[in-house]
């Protein structure tokens, strides 16, 4: 591995014009493809195998043309103070609005509030429901504009009008905080390298990689049904790993220059050593992201694969374009220990090979020395601290965002609140019960019996009469709960209806299915919970095997996996504290607390595991390299920190800054993911990898690197430490000495 990458690095350095041309051409092709591709909105949402999805599929078969998954909008009207919606003037305004809404080409039907009895008991609030032929992501802008224009006309007449539902779905925006995250990354790179040129290389290559990845996603979005959240995630992860991977290779290149090597040789050795760590770190991230497919939620699978593709591009760019750009930069990228004009004159660092007075140990060396001297105390403090941060995770409540989680400044949220005020909190989460009585002797009796059984359940406010299809073998019943959609009480009601349906099936052979957005959210949460353990076993197991190959050890990969579990539980605890409990919610821009997004735990496990292994590979390979070359275990830990702590710290700060930049997103899911990943990187990089890992290695000593002989013989030798390069260099030095003699 190291030898192959060494040759690749030298080739890219020599043939830099050709390498740069290839990547620029790929970026251009991807950009042209994205520009010419048809636009795509949010990805369609389907959950194969769930009862809610089966009910949707059945509705499409038995009620053709009704667009069961079509977009809906609720136009909510509130009368001025002291007036009623039944007053003649207000009634005329509403009926004019209903007529105007019915003119749209994509509109299936619009309910009149006065005919559908959609007026609150006190007469102050009413709503009209608009049903569309197509889903929210397929609804064209003209239909959305017509919806908003009709509401504006009613407002001019004196009514308060708000619009809820999924018809006004908007592409999320991240705001200026994303740019701030990139700016912070740039500042950290400048401080780390002391040079604008050296700092610019990781940023440039990361932006090119993300540009190719996101452009490809945009170009394929319509064909593969990829949503806007997919490209946002790819941008988030692609930027973070792209900068980090390039950072490690540029840093190693400067270290090789400091040892007196020529620039081409330094580029080759940097790619051969740090590049090997990049390959394996990238593989762990790809495994974690692609492994999301085991959950069998198409949207999540597509997000994971798209992000994994962006990570793969980041690895390839780091291995090829970075050495090419180093060739262009020439002497503007200085050896480790020399600083450019930006931060003052060159000054001595504590790198090996310096001349003159003894160097003062750097911060990484001093910290590692402290941990090695007091490993047990550091280990206990780190574990207890992360355990305390994880405590809120015991109160984790899962759900999917709805209009109730929107900011109060949005019309969707205001419509949600008006409906709760006028019709009760459960009105925003109606349950649709689909009764399939095709195999029953008396379908009408089954429909009546089902409605009667549902009325007996707790927390039921309204049960509408059954609405059969033309064939008379299938009917829909709408159930209005008494509690809000995300409550445990509503979840219990869904399970209660399904239990009652099982009894009805036993008596009449009719299937009773519960669907609707609320039931779908409940099914998604359950599906994700059921998939979490298999996913953990798959991802952690594959990565564990990969790390055994990298470190040639059993205990080091085991320690890496356990440390990851600590950091991800602590991060989940922080997410619960902020987004569910409301701690620091104002600072994070969280206007509405509530259940944590149901995809968050499994998604965080996948992404954080891959990123956690990045730091494990980068930091511990340096320790392994020192140990293989003859240092004692404790000294190898210190050596690894002397060379890697500064760079790993910079990489972690950069990754945190990039992720934190997405906290400013208007999309609650993106905001939560950005915060969760940022805090997880903090916990994992600075507590697990910088404190717990060296403490455990110091306590284990030589046992940390133990591997059964039979397994050692069976494993392939990937030479991450670059031992083959050292032998190659030594042989080359001997040949040159003989030639001079």
């Amino acid at each position: 591995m190291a030898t192959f990458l060494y040759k690749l690095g030298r080739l890219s350095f020599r043939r830099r014009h050709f390498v740069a041309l290839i990547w620029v051409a790929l970026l251009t092709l991807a950009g042209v493809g994205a520009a010419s591709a048809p636009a795509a909105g949010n990805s369609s949402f389907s959950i194969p195998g769930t009862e809610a999805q089966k009910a949707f599929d059945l509705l499409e078969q038995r009620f053709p043309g009704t667009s069961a998954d079509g977009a809906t909008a609720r136009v909510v009207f509130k009368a001025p103070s002291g007036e009623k919606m039944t007053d003649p003037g207000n009634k005329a305004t509403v009926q004019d609005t209903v007529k105007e809404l019915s003119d749209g080409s994509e509109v299936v039907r619009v309910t009149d509030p006065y005919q559908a009895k959609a007026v609150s008991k006190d007469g102050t609030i009413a709503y009209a429901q608009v049903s569309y032929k197509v889903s929210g992501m397929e609804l064209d802008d003209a239909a959305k504009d017509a919806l908003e224009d009709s509401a504006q006309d009613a407002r001019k007449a004196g009514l308060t009008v708000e619009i809820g539902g999924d018809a006004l779905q908007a592409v999320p925006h991240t705001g200026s905080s994303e740019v701030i995250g990139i700016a912070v990354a740039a500042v950290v790179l400048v401080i780390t390298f002391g040079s604008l040129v050296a700092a610019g290389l990781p940023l440039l290559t990361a932006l090119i990689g993300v540009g190719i990845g996101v452009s490809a996603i945009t170009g394929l979005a319509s064909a593969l049904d990829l949503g806007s959240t997919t490209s946002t995630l790819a941008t988030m992860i692609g930027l973070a790993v792209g900068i980090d991977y390039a950072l490690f290779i540029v840093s190693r290149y400067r270290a090789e220059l400091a040892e007196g090597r020529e620039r081409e040789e330094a580029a080759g050795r940097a790619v051969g050593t740090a590049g090997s760590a990049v390959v394996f770190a990238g593989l762990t991230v790809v495994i974690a992201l692609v492994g999301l497919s085991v959950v069998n939620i198409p949207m999540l699978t597509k997000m994971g694969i798209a992000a994994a593709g962006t990570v793969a591009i980041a690895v390839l760019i780091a291995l090829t374009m970075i050495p090419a750009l180093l060739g262009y930069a020439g002497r503007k990228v200085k050896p480790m220990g020399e600083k450019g004009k930006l931060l003052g004159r060159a000054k001595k660092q504590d790198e090996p090979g310096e001349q003159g007075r003894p160097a003062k140990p750097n911060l990484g060396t001093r910290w590692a020395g402290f941990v090695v001297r007091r490993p047990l105390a550091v280990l206990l403090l780190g574990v207890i601290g992360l355990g305390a941060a994880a405590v809120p995770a015991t109160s984790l409540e899962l759900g999917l965002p709805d209009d109730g989680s929107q900011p109060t400044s949005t019309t969707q949220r205001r419509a949600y609140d008006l409906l709760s005020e006028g019709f009760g909190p459960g009105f925003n989460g109606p349950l649709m019960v689909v009764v399939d009585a095709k195999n029953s002797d008396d379908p009408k009796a089954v429909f009546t019996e089902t409605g009667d059984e549902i009325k007996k359940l707790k927390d039921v406010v309204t049960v509408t009469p059954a609405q059969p299809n033309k064939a008379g073998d299938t009917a829909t019943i709408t159930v209005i709960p008494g509690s809000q959609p995300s409550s445990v009480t509503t979840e219990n009601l869904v399970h209660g209806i399904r239990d009652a349906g099982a009894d009805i099936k036993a008596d009449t052979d009719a299937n009773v299915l519960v669907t609707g957005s609320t039931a779908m959210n409940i099914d998604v949460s359950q599906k994700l919970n059921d998939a979490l353990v298999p996913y953990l076993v798959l991802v952690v197991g594959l990565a564990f095997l990969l790390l055994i190959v990298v470190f040639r050890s059993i205990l080091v990969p085991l320690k890496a996996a356990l440390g990851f579990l600590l950091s991800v539980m602590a991060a989940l605890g922080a997410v619960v504290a902020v987004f569910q409990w409301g701690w620091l919610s104002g600072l994070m821009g969280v206007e509405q607390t509530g259940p944590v997004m149901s995809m968050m735990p499994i998604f965080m496990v996948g992404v954080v595991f891959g990123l956690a292994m990045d730091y494990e590979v980068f930091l511990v390979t340096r320790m392994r390299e020192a140990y293989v070359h003859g240092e004692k275990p404790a000294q190898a830990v210190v050596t690894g920190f002397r060379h890697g702590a500064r760079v790993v710290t910079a990489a972690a700060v950069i990754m945190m800054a990039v992720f934190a930049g997405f906290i400013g997103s208007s999309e609650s899911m993106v905001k939560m993911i950005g915060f969760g990943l940022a805090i997880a990187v903090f916990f994992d990089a600075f507590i697990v990898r910088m404190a717990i890992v060296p403490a455990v290695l110091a306590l284990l000593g030589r046992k940390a690197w133990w591997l059964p002989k039979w397994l050692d013989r069976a494993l392939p030798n990937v030479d991450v430490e670059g031992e083959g390069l050292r032998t190659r260099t030594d042989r080359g030095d001997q040949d040159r000495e003989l030639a001079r003699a």
Side-chain angles (χ1 to χ4, degrees):
M1 170 73 77
T3 302
F4 169 76
L5 293 177
Y6 165 80
K7 293 177 180 177
L8 178 63
R10 294 196 62 167
L11 178 65
S12 300
F13 188 94
R14 287 197 308 272
R15 306 294 185 187
R16 47 188 172 273
H17 303 308
F18 179 69
V19 172
L21 182 62
I22 288 178
W23 285 112
V24 171
L26 287 174
L27 179 61
T28 304
L29 287 173
V32 170
S36 58
N42 289 328
S43 176
S44 59
F45 194 77
S46 64
I47 313 295
T50 61
E51 180 173 317
Q53 188 63 48
K54 291 176 183 176
F56 269 125
D57 297 340
L58 182 64
L59 285 172
E60 290 183 357
Q61 296 174 11
R62 304 288 174 85
F63 293 81
T66 58
S67 302
D69 61 345
T72 59
R74 281 179 170 176
V75 183
V76 188
F77 307 89
K78 184 175 183 179
S81 179
E83 298 183 17
K84 303 283 188 181
M85 288 304 304
T86 51
D87 293 346
N90 294 335
K91 186 174 182 178
T93 300
V94 172
Q95 289 177 330
D96 289 343
T97 304
V98 169
K99 184 178 180 181
E100 186 178 349
L101 289 169
S102 303
D103 295 337
S105 60
E106 294 182 321
V107 175
V108 176
R109 63 182 176 275
V110 182
T111 60
D112 187 317
Y114 304 100
Q115 296 178 4
K117 299 180 180 179
V119 180
S120 63
K121 290 182 179 180
D122 62 3
T124 60
I125 297 174
Y127 73 92
Q129 181 154 313
V130 187
S131 300
Y132 294 90
K133 298 177 182 178
V134 296
S135 59
M137 76 288 299
E138 298 170 319
L139 198 63
D140 61 32
D141 292 337
K144 295 180 181 180
D145 292 341
L147 183 62
E148 293 176 334
D149 290 343
S150 60
Q152 188 60 36
D153 292 340
R155 290 188 187 107
K156 292 178 181 178
L159 297 177
T160 298
V161 186
E162 305 296 347
I163 305 172
D166 59 356
L168 292 182
Q169 284 182 342
V171 176
H173 62 272
T174 55
S176 60
S177 55
E178 179 185 351
V179 178
I180 295 173
I182 297 176
V184 171
V187 172
V188 173
L189 287 170
V190 170
I191 294 173
T192 302
F193 291 135
S195 164
L196 285 175
V197 175
L201 296 183
L203 279 177
L204 176 61
T205 54
L207 290 173
I208 291 174
V210 168
I212 294 173
V214 172
S215 296
I217 290 170
T218 304
L220 298 172
S222 179
L224 300 181
D225 193 23
L226 303 176
S228 57
T229 306
T230 304
S231 59
T232 303
L233 173 66
T235 301
M236 185 188 303
I237 296 178
L239 271 177
V241 301
I243 293 173
D244 278 7
Y245 294 166
L247 166 64
F248 282 106
I249 291 179
V250 173
S251 178
R252 187 61 183 252
Y253 170 77
R254 296 176 69 232
E256 296 295 336
L257 287 179
E259 294 185 8
R261 292 187 173 86
E262 296 295 328
R263 294 187 177 273
E264 182 179 329
E265 176 69 14
R269 288 183 64 87
V271 175
T273 52
S276 297
V278 165
V279 169
F280 283 101
L283 273 176
T284 58
V285 180
V286 169
I287 288 172
L289 291 170
V290 173
L292 290 170
S293 58
V294 304
V295 184
N296 195 27
I297 294 179
M299 184 183 76
L300 196 59
T301 299
K302 293 171 186 176
M303 289 170 63
I305 292 175
T310 307
V311 172
I313 292 172
V315 171
L316 292 174
I317 283 186
L319 298 178
T320 57
M321 195 169 187
I322 281 293
L325 293 178
L326 289 172
Y328 283 119
R331 298 187 180 280
K332 292 180 181 178
V333 177
K334 299 183 179 299
M336 187 80 74
E338 292 186 19
K339 295 193 176 181
K341 296 178 180 179
L342 186 66
L343 296 179
R345 295 182 179 180
K347 61 180 182 179
K348 297 296 180 183
Q349 300 288 317
D350 61 333
E351 294 298 321
E354 74 170 34
Q355 299 175 356
R357 65 184 182 279
K360 179 183 178 182
N362 65 10
L363 183 59
T365 304
R366 298 196 299 273
W367 169 250
F370 171 80
V371 175
V372 167
R373 290 193 302 272
R374 297 174 179 81
L376 187 59
V378 172
L379 176 61
L380 290 176
L381 188 61
V383 171
I384 292 172
L386 289 178
V391 168
T394 58
S395 302
L396 178 66
E397 295 178 9
L398 298 177
L400 287 179
D402 57 15
D403 286 348
S405 61
Q406 296 273 1
T408 53
S409 59
T410 62
T411 185
Q412 294 97 322
R413 172 59 189 279
R414 291 196 291 265
Y416 182 98
D417 292 340
L418 283 176
L419 288 171
S420 295
E421 176 188 338
F423 302 93
F427 196 80
N428 283 294
L431 304 175
M432 180 180 288
V433 179
V434 182
V435 185
D436 178 9
K438 190 173 185 179
N439 298 325
S440 300
D441 297 331
D442 189 353
K444 289 184 179 179
V446 173
F447 301 155
T448 302
E449 180 185 352
T450 303
D452 292 341
E453 290 297 320
I454 294 174
K455 290 177 182 177
K456 297 176 183 178
L457 299 175
K458 294 180 179 179
D459 201 49
V460 173
V461 174
T462 304
V463 178
T464 64
Q467 302 292 322
N469 62 348
K470 290 183 179 180
D473 58 6
T474 307
T476 60
I477 300 173
T478 301
V479 180
I480 305 297
S483 303
Q484 62 183 12
S486 59
S487 68
V488 176
T489 307
T490 301
E491 182 178 348
N492 292 335
L493 175 59
V494 171
H495 293 311
I497 295 174
R498 287 172 174 171
D499 291 340
D503 295 335
I504 293 172
K505 180 176 175 60
D507 296 337
T508 64
D509 204 25
N511 288 320
V512 178
L513 306 174
V514 185
T515 189
S517 60
T518 301
M520 182 70 80
N521 290 353
I522 293 169
D523 287 351
V524 169
S525 298
Q526 186 61 49
K527 190 177 183 70
L528 288 166
N529 286 338
D530 294 342
L532 183 58
V533 173
Y535 175 69
L536 265 174
V537 172
L538 173 68
V539 173
V540 176
L542 288 176
F544 181 78
L545 295 176
L546 186 66
L547 292 178
I548 289 177
V549 174
V550 174
F551 296 127
R552 309 196 76 79
S553 164
I554 298 293
L555 295 180
V556 170
L558 180 62
K559 171 262 309 168
L562 294 176
F564 150 73
L565 291 175
L566 274 175
S567 58
V568 79
M569 288 303 298
L572 274 176
V575 169
V576 169
V578 173
F579 291 89
Q580 188 175 309
W581 292 0
W583 294 5
L584 301 178
S585 57
L587 182 63
M588 298 297 168
V590 180
E591 295 189 22
Q592 179 66 33
T593 59
V596 172
M597 182 184 65
S598 55
M599 292 185 184
M600 192 67 190
I602 199 165
F603 184 80
M604 183 177 285
V605 165
V607 177
V608 173
F609 182 78
L611 300 179
M613 294 307 103
D614 278 4
Y615 300 116
E616 181 76 14
V617 170
F618 289 131
L619 196 59
V620 180
T621 47
R622 272 291 198 171
M623 301 177 191
R624 169 76 182 173
E625 184 177 342
Y627 177 75
V628 167
H629 294 153
E631 292 189 8
K632 293 181 179 180
Q635 184 57 41
V637 171
V638 176
T639 300
F641 267 77
R642 183 174 72 242
H643 290 294
R646 178 184 177 90
V647 181
V648 168
T649 299
V653 172
I654 289 169
M655 199 171 279
M656 288 168 57
V658 172
F659 288 149
F662 289 83
I663 296 175
S665 174
S666 62
E667 177 67 41
S668 60
M669 183 172 76
V670 175
K671 181 190 292 288
M672 191 178 294
I673 288 174
F675 172 79
L677 294 184
I679 197 70
V681 168
F682 171 78
F683 287 145
D684 196 84
F686 293 106
I687 299 180
V688 175
R689 308 303 154 190
M690 290 288 189
I692 294 178
V693 165
V696 171
L697 290 178
L699 288 170
L700 291 175
R702 295 187 182 276
K703 294 178 183 178
W705 308 107
W706 172 80
L707 186 69
K709 291 183 179 180
W710 63 268
L711 185 56
D712 187 40
R713 291 191 297 269
L715 292 177
N717 184 12
V718 294
D719 189 23
V720 177
E721 300 83 17
E723 184 63 30
L725 298 184
R726 177 179 289 254
T727 305
R728 181 191 188 99
T729 303
D730 293 343
R731 188 167 54 246
D733 292 341
Q734 292 173 3
D735 292 342
R736 282 190 291 272
E737 289 178 5
L738 290 174
R740 284 196 296 268

